[in-house]
Amino acid sequence: MTSVVFMGTPDFAVPILQALISDPDYDVQAVLTQPDRPKGRKHVLTPSPVKKLTVENDIRVLQPAKLSGSDEMAEVIALQPDLMITAAYGQFLPTKMLNAAQIAAINVHGSLLPKYRGGAPIQYAVMNGDAETGVTIMYMVKKMDAGDIIAQRAIPITKEDDSGTMFEKLSIVGRDLLMATLPDLIAGRVRPIAQDEDQVVFSPNITAEQERIDYTLPADQIDNLVRGLRPAPIGNMILDGLRTKIYDITPLDESTSLEPGKVVRVEKHGLIISGGEGTTYKINRLKPAGKPLMDITAYLNGHQDLQPGVQAITNE
């Protein structure tokens, strides 16, 4: 059996860990994941999805707040595992720890490297309107997501996809690609490819500023941002004077001469807004500050002031 130390935290990593646990060729000796975090309005301390799976399978779980110099790092080094495998773990691995892997330390990354390096590759692929994304399996090095590429697999991004659906799809792609790649990796048959540094694109964690959607953009770009920020953290606009989270819009095949952010028309089940470059879109679901998530019909019942020509969306 090939011994493995696995490191991961969110749902993305769960199918990958499950595949390793279920395969008799691999012995998962320990799992590292982020510490339990407060969740919900009551701030209940909640384990990560990876921890839940690990505990269910009676595997040693380690949760250092800071990996470097920790007792948990020393424990992993002492194990001298054949493989270290990470998938959206959330911390850098010190070189001393990487060197403890007897065969390789590898990462399952949710993009087609060298695009996108960083903590939010799936969100950026959707927000930027990319036609495809994928998974890269690479060697881990001290520099973020810069290791040589072992294997890649691409899948399309449709206009029905958001970051949530792409996370689900890519977790399965990552699982299948990893399990198909490991036998050749262990046998020394892989031929890694160095990343082209001239093609590097970064995808840092989403900031609060990026959550504020620029209403002057064309409708397709607004739609990309809405879907890229869903299911979290959700993009927002100032709609009818109130900060409002926008959950779902539909770009329309009709043009307008109105300036961006104005009401084009109000329908029984639709609020049609002007975007940039003469585009239009329909708002479908939204959540005004302090209000529940609602469809546009319920919203319009309390906003009769939104009539054609009114500047519905503003900067503040």
Side-chain angles (χ1 to χ4, degrees):
M1 295 175 69
T2 300
S3 60
V4 176
V5 169
F6 183 83
M7 303 167 210
T9 298
D11 287 317
F12 174 82
V14 169
I16 300 167
L17 175 58
Q18 182 63 69
L20 291 165
I21 293 171
S22 302
D23 193 316
D25 290 337
Y26 303 100
D27 175 22
V28 180
Q29 297 182 328
V31 172
L32 281 77
T33 190
Q34 293 284 63
D36 297 1
R37 305 292 191 198
K39 192 172 183 180
R41 290 186 177 180
K42 295 185 178 180
H43 301 286
V44 177
L45 209 57
T46 305
S48 73
V50 163
K51 180 180 178 179
K52 292 177 183 178
L53 177 62
T54 305
V55 171
E56 289 170 4
N57 286 274
D58 198 25
I59 296 170
R60 173 81 166 141
V61 60
L62 305 171
Q63 296 179 272
K66 182 180 179 183
L67 185 55
S68 182
S70 67
D71 292 341
E72 290 87 351
M73 185 181 90
E75 184 173 340
V76 171
I77 291 172
L79 286 173
Q80 296 285 292
D82 295 320
L83 296 172
M84 289 185 192
I85 301 173
T86 68
Y89 172 44
Q91 293 195 47
F92 282 107
L93 273 61
T95 302
K96 184 177 180 181
M97 186 171 173
L98 295 176
N99 291 340
Q102 300 302 291
I103 296 175
I106 62 174
N107 182 36
V108 183
H109 183 76
S111 82
L112 298 173
L113 290 170
K115 182 184 180 180
Y116 297 92
R117 293 181 185 177
I122 297 172
Q123 291 93 329
Y124 277 82
V126 180
M127 289 192 302
N128 289 340
D130 291 0
E132 66 175 11
T133 186
V135 169
T136 300
I137 297 179
M138 63 177 178
Y139 286 110
M140 280 191 286
V141 295
K142 189 173 182 180
K143 188 176 180 181
M144 182 180 64
D145 300 331
D148 290 352
I149 295 169
I150 301 168
Q152 286 187 323
R153 186 171 295 170
I155 62 170
I157 302 174
T158 73
K159 286 299 183 181
E160 286 70 46
D161 281 313
D162 59 18
S163 289
T165 63
M166 293 310 299
F167 265 97
E168 293 174 3
K169 291 178 181 181
L170 289 172
S171 68
I172 301 305
V173 172
R175 177 198 67 189
D176 294 347
L177 183 60
L178 175 70
M179 300 310 287
T181 302
L182 283 179
D184 285 339
L185 175 69
I186 294 166
R189 294 191 295 264
V190 298
R191 295 183 178 180
I193 300 171
Q195 295 188 42
D196 183 349
E197 292 294 324
D198 291 334
Q199 300 298 317
V200 171
V201 178
F202 290 101
S203 59
N205 291 334
I206 304 298
T207 66
E209 185 62 32
Q210 287 174 294
E211 296 170 28
R212 295 170 187 163
I213 296 173
D214 181 357
Y215 72 91
T216 67
L217 292 171
D220 280 345
Q221 291 185 36
I222 294 175
D223 182 45
N224 291 338
L225 290 170
V226 168
R227 292 184 296 109
L229 294 167
R230 191 178 68 219
I234 301 297
N236 62 77
M237 298 176 173
I238 302 295
L239 175 60
D240 204 16
L242 191 64
R243 179 73 61 185
T244 302
K245 292 187 175 183
I246 307 297
Y247 278 75
D248 183 49
I249 73 166
T250 302
L252 302 176
D253 292 327
E254 60 182 81
S255 60
T256 181
S257 59
L258 292 174
E259 295 176 354
K262 289 193 173 184
V263 177
V264 177
R265 66 179 180 278
V266 179
E267 300 175 347
K268 183 177 181 181
H269 301 295
L271 175 62
I272 315 303
I273 300 291
S274 55
E277 300 180 9
T279 59
T280 60
Y281 59 93
K282 180 172 68 171
I283 298 177
N284 301 314
R285 290 187 299 142
L286 69 175
K287 183 185 181 302
K291 303 287 185 179
L293 173 63
M294 62 184 75
D295 63 28
I296 196 63
T297 304
Y299 177 82
L300 289 173
N301 286 337
H303 292 265
Q304 284 84 12
D305 57 316
L306 292 176
Q307 297 297 319
V310 168
Q311 187 72 40
I313 300 174
T314 58
N315 287 324
E316 293 295 343

